[in-house]
Amino acid sequence: DIQMTQSPSTLSASVGDRVTITCRASQSLSTWLAWYQQKPGKAPKLLIYKASSLQSGVPARFSGSGSETEFTLTISSLQSDDFATYYCQQYTSYPLTFGGGTKVEIK
Amino acid sequence: EVHLVESGGGLVQPGGSLRLSCAASGFSFSDHYMDWVRQAAGKGLEWVGRIKNKANSYTTEYAASVKDRFSISRDDSKSSLYLHMNSLKTDDTAVYYCAGVTKDFSLADWGQGTLVTVSS
């Protein structure tokens, strides 16, 4: 199985900060990686697919980059609505696997 | 607008069985692969399994943790997805989400989830 390692597990930031979350895969994914945002008690929401493609309706302050085994999710200017937990997911091979999550908290 | 609504969750004893349903609307259900993903309280997301579409012979894939105990089926005439869960364990306690798979194979649309509690 492909292991997905996210860092950091928790991140404290202020509104307006630039935030970067890293996801590392144990094997090459090419660019078959997605990022999701989840708020408490809610279903996950797709933000980025194919490593860097912005899902329709997602604000442009979110961006993704990377390939093979190293990927990043960047929020260019953190907004109050962005405090949530973020997950990466590989979909290059079964079983599909998620990273452990990064909780973005208010500093 | 895509709408996915799970149902069928509840309290079940260890070793018991349960069937979850997911009613879909707002998109061409029969064309899409569908997934189940679960989340234990305070934990991360765990992929449970997938069923492909008719063009791909309704092939299924499962996580090792549920293989041989869970099975996924679909009824395209009813735009419905099912998760049949047998030999349930306390570790299966979680919120279960159904999700629609995009052409790119990411999970763009999710239901609100249904809680399954396995406890004596």
Side-chain angles (χ1 to χ4, degrees):
Chain A
D1 298 2
I2 297 177
Q3 308 303 316
M4 305 299 294
T5 304
Q6 278 184 243
S7 60
S9 55
T10 306
L11 186 160
S12 296
S14 301
V15 171
D17 285 353
R18 181 181 181 88
V19 166
T20 298
I21 298 169
T22 298
C23 180
R24 289 187 172 88
S26 61
Q27 301 174 35
S28 176
L29 308 181
S30 180
T31 55
W32 299 109
L33 182 109
W35 289 96
Y36 301 86
Q37 176 194 66
Q38 188 180 33
K39 296 181 179 179
K42 301 294 186 182
K45 173 186 174 183
L46 177 65
L47 300 175
I48 301 287
Y49 63 95
K50 205 88 186 314
S52 60
S53 296
L54 191 68
Q55 174 68 357
S56 176
V58 173
R61 63 181 179 272
F62 291 93
S63 64
S65 64
S67 64
E68 306 300 335
T69 61
E70 188 148 341
F71 302 86
T72 58
L73 173 70
T74 300
I75 309 173
S76 61
S77 177
L78 195 67
Q79 302 300 302
S80 57
D81 191 49
D82 302 337
F83 291 98
T85 299
Y86 294 83
Y87 295 94
C88 60
Q89 181 217 8
Q90 68 80 18
Y91 51 103
T92 193
S93 67
Y94 299 111
L96 309 188
T97 45
F98 291 88
T102 295
K103 185 175 183 179
V104 177
E105 298 181 327
I106 300 173
K107 191 172 185 179
Chain B
E1 181 186 0
V2 174
H3 208 46
L4 296 169
V5 179
E6 301 92 340
S7 60
L11 175 64
V12 61
Q13 291 189 336
S17 299
L18 205 59
R19 187 187 81 161
L20 305 184
S21 300
C22 172
S25 60
F27 68 108
S28 182
F29 177 80
S30 61
D31 289 340
H32 287 260
Y33 296 5
M34 295 294 296
D35 282 11
W36 287 97
V37 176
R38 68 184 181 183
Q39 186 172 38
K43 302 296 184 182
L45 300 169
E46 180 186 14
W47 180 78
V48 172
R50 169 171 292 175
I51 186 166
K52 298 181 181 180
N53 54 16
K54 182 178 181 180
N56 289 279
S57 305
Y58 299 124
T59 301
T60 53
E61 302 283 350
Y62 298 96
S65 59
V66 305
K67 192 167 182 167
D68 299 329
R69 298 188 301 121
F70 290 11
S71 65
I72 300 173
S73 64
R74 62 192 296 164
D75 185 338
D76 290 344
S77 68
K78 296 182 179 179
S79 294
S80 291
L81 174 72
Y82 305 101
L83 180 64
H84 309 265
M85 303 185 293
N86 298 315
S87 303
L88 282 160
K89 306 175 182 179
T90 55
D91 286 350
D92 296 318
T93 295
V95 173
Y96 284 74
Y97 297 99
C98 64
V101 182
T102 69
K103 299 302 182 188
D104 150 78
F105 301 105
S106 55
L107 306 182
D109 301 296
W110 297 66
Q112 85 289 350
T114 187
L115 176 62
V116 173
T117 303
V118 184
S119 174
S120 55

